[in-house]
Amino acid sequence: MTQPSDYLNVGCGNHYHPDWTNIDLVASGPAVRQYDLRRGLPYEPKQFDAVYHSHVLEHLAPADAANMLRDCFRVLRPGGIVRVVVPNLEAIATAYLDSLNQADNGDEMDVANHQWMTFELLDQMTRQRSGGQMMRVMQDPNQINRDFIRSRIGFEMDTPSKAKKTIRRRLSRLVRSTKKQLAIAAVTMLQGKSGRDAYREGYFRQAGEIHRWMYDRVSLARVLREVGFEDAQVFPASESGIDGFDSFGLDRVGSSPRKPDSLYMEATRPRDEVASSVGSSRAA
Ligand SMILES: C[S@@+](CC[C@H](N)C(=O)[O-])C[C@H]1O[C@@H](n2cnc3c(N)ncnc32)[C@H](O)[C@@H]1O
């Protein structure tokens, strides 16, 4: 019988089930292994029955994302399922165009909705500070279109995610911040203010918050196919081919999707290993 630990949650953030195998750049709790995915998944071939990642793939540059999916393929048993959840480019672009047409009338609420949709498209790729414009708007109690924003991003509107502050986390944060300040001092000495600003921006862009790409149902299915998966299909938030998936409550809060702006896609590692040879040389 499948154990939850045969399920892998990649880039789990602070949204994970403790019985699963969980991994993230930042360990938000003792059940999460701290690891940079760009180094490849630190697991044996064919170790898992399911691999899940939610709002992670878009944080990787396209080449890194394809490598990550290749690695998901490698660690899945034949017949295993990858479930990929990403911001839905098609839905966001459609909502942006709708908001643009509405905003033509100059109505204050419609203009605010259009501004939010522009942020949804661009802010997460271009921001230079954590949280960006989206966080600023979400934290403004006088924001007139809070209901619209909640309909777009769900419960995050009211509970912006925060990692638990354990002593270990505080310490590792202190070490990171001290090293960063030393590096900034060195770069400023050697390259002046522009060097310092470039270092700061590069440091932030490497820290995992920025979106580096977006996907729709066609482009995501294509990448999955290219790395060897078959049968890529779109699912609703509450449905999955992964045994018992919905019981872990990863993609919904109560009866609502946790991240309503999402595209949920699943694909299978073929049982027939000959068919899977279209995958990369990294596939075991
Ligand atoms: C938007 S959060 C999503 C978190 C969680 N999966 C969820 O659905 O709420 C993106 C996560 O990807 C992680 N991440 C981004 N780049 C990463 C990398 N190179 N290695 C490991 N994790 C990474 C971040 O640390 C963050 O926890």
Side-chain angles (χ1 to χ4, degrees):
M1 203 185 113
T2 301
Q3 300 296 317
S5 58
D6 292 334
Y7 291 169
L8 173 64
N9 185 347
V10 178
C12 60
N14 57 5
H15 205 81
Y16 57 90
H17 193 285
D19 293 343
W20 282 44
T21 302
N22 304 295
I23 186 166
D24 196 285
L25 192 57
V26 182
S28 55
V32 181
R33 175 170 176 179
Q34 192 273 320
Y35 195 81
D36 187 340
L37 294 170
R38 286 166 292 195
R39 293 158 58 201
L41 291 171
Y43 301 106
E44 295 300 312
K46 302 181 185 173
Q47 199 180 323
F48 296 101
D49 288 315
V51 176
Y52 162 79
H53 36 91
S54 164
H55 289 245
V56 175
L57 206 65
E58 71 276 12
H59 290 272
L60 303 175
D64 289 332
N67 281 337
M68 212 259 275
L69 289 173
R70 256 180 220 116
D71 234 14
C72 294
F73 185 99
R74 181 184 63 83
V75 301
L76 272 172
R77 297 184 182 117
I81 293 175
V82 66
R83 180 176 175 92
V84 184
V85 185
V86 284
N88 188 343
L89 175 58
E90 178 187 11
I92 294 171
T94 305
Y96 162 76
L97 287 176
D98 288 349
S99 77
L100 178 67
N101 290 330
Q102 296 270 340
D104 269 342
N105 66 20
D107 178 83
E108 199 187 359
M109 183 74 84
D110 291 331
V111 170
N113 292 348
H114 168 257
Q115 186 194 45
W116 175 263
M117 288 315 308
T118 309
F119 290 164
E120 258 194 69
L121 263 180
L122 301 176
D123 181 49
Q124 296 184 86
M125 295 205 196
T126 59
R127 68 178 57 155
Q128 290 169 309
R129 282 175 201 281
S130 187
Q133 301 278 18
M134 291 171 86
M135 185 62 82
R136 182 183 58 74
V137 165
M138 282 156 66
Q139 287 178 339
D140 178 358
N142 299 319
Q143 185 67 26
I144 58 170
N145 60 341
R146 294 186 72 81
D147 287 344
F148 175 78
I149 299 174
R150 195 174 289 106
S151 77
R152 297 289 319 159
I153 62 167
F155 297 87
E156 232 174 280
M157 171 71 179
D158 307 301
T159 51
S161 62
K162 278 200 187 112
K164 288 172 203 131
K165 287 189 178 163
T166 60
I167 291 180
R168 206 170 126 222
R169 267 188 63 77
R170 278 174 209 263
L171 264 178
S172 87
R173 205 179 165 146
L174 182 68
V175 170
R176 268 205 319 274
S177 144
T178 309
K179 279 187 182 167
K180 183 179 159 193
Q181 291 313 321
L182 286 173
I184 286 175
V187 172
T188 311
M189 206 169 67
L190 293 170
Q191 302 236 298
K193 181 177 173 306
S194 61
R196 181 198 65 193
D197 292 347
Y199 177 84
R200 276 200 177 130
E201 183 167 346
Y203 191 92
F204 174 65
R205 291 191 68 83
Q206 292 289 325
E209 178 172 330
I210 286 290
H211 287 184
R212 293 170 181 272
W213 201 251
M214 290 183 82
Y215 299 87
D216 55 39
R217 61 200 152 90
V218 172
S219 57
L220 184 56
R222 190 183 61 229
V223 186
L224 286 164
R225 253 195 329 271
E226 280 171 2
V227 304
F229 285 103
E230 64 180 15
D231 201 20
Q233 285 182 37
V234 176
F235 278 77
S238 59
E239 285 177 29
S240 171
I242 300 168
D243 220 13
F245 179 81
D246 196 43
S247 67
F248 298 104
L250 292 171
D251 278 343
R252 58 175 178 74
V253 177
S255 57
S256 305
R258 183 169 64 92
K259 297 200 172 197
D261 60 336
S262 303
L263 167 67
Y264 307 85
M265 184 168 275
E266 294 188 1
T268 308
R269 174 168 178 163
R271 288 180 193 280
D272 171 5
E273 287 297 302
V274 178
S276 73
S277 63
V278 292
S280 87
S281 53
R282 288 173 69 176

